[in-house]
Amino acid sequence: MSHSSLKFNLEDQAAVRSRSRQQWAQFLILLTGVGLIWLVILPRIAAIPQMKAEIDFLEEKQIDPTAMFYSDLETIEDTVQEITNFHKEHPDALW
């Protein structure tokens, strides 16, 4: 191996290590951000009186808030029908 190819190889290895460190740093920054949101911001939001009242109401009624999205699907049928009727009455509107 010549001196120049060895030097080039060492530079490549250094670049790879540098890139790896940057990726780890980005990951740790992202992880810290998620941790701050989860452990600081969301608890503060939950402590807001209006939000606390909503959470207490849901817990008191034993309502799973994750299921609320899906329970809205029944009411969307009317909206879909209104949009369909609108498009029949105004076929060139919107698009």
Side-chain angles (χ1 to χ4, degrees), residues 72-88 95:
D72 291 341
L73 290 178
E74 294 171 6
T75 61
I76 201 166
E77 291 174 3
D78 295 334
T79 305
V80 170
Q81 188 59 49
E82 288 176 21
I83 292 171
T84 303
N85 293 342
F86 177 83
H87 283 293
K88 286 180 184 175
W95 50 82

Side-chain angles (χ1 to χ4, degrees), residues 1 5 13 18 28 31 45 55 75 77 89:
M1 272 183 125
S5 65
Q13 289 175 359
S18 175
L28 291 174
L31 191 61
I45 290 172
I55 292 169
T75 61
E77 291 174 3
E89 294 172 16

Side-chain angles (χ1 to χ4, degrees), residues 9-91:
N9 193 16
L10 291 175
E11 288 173 357
D12 285 347
Q13 289 175 359
V16 168
R17 281 194 300 272
S18 175
R19 214 173 11 253
S20 178
R21 283 190 203 112
Q22 287 176 339
Q23 289 173 337
W24 274 107
Q26 290 172 346
F27 173 72
L28 291 174
I29 289 168
L30 175 69
L31 191 61
T32 301
V34 169
L36 283 173
I37 290 170
W38 193 263
L39 299 172
V40 177
I41 296 173
L42 290 178
R44 285 188 181 178
I45 290 172
I48 295 171
Q50 297 90 341
M51 188 61 70
K52 184 160 178 32
E54 182 71 20
I55 292 169
D56 291 342
F57 172 80
L58 293 174
E59 288 177 353
E60 178 184 310
K61 302 290 182 182
Q62 296 180 340
I63 297 172
D64 179 7
T66 60
M68 291 176 64
F69 171 78
Y70 298 104
S71 65
D72 291 341
L73 290 178
E74 294 171 6
T75 61
I76 201 166
E77 291 174 3
D78 295 334
T79 305
V80 170
Q81 188 59 49
E82 288 176 21
I83 292 171
T84 303
N85 293 342
F86 177 83
H87 283 293
K88 286 180 184 175
E89 294 172 16
H90 311 283

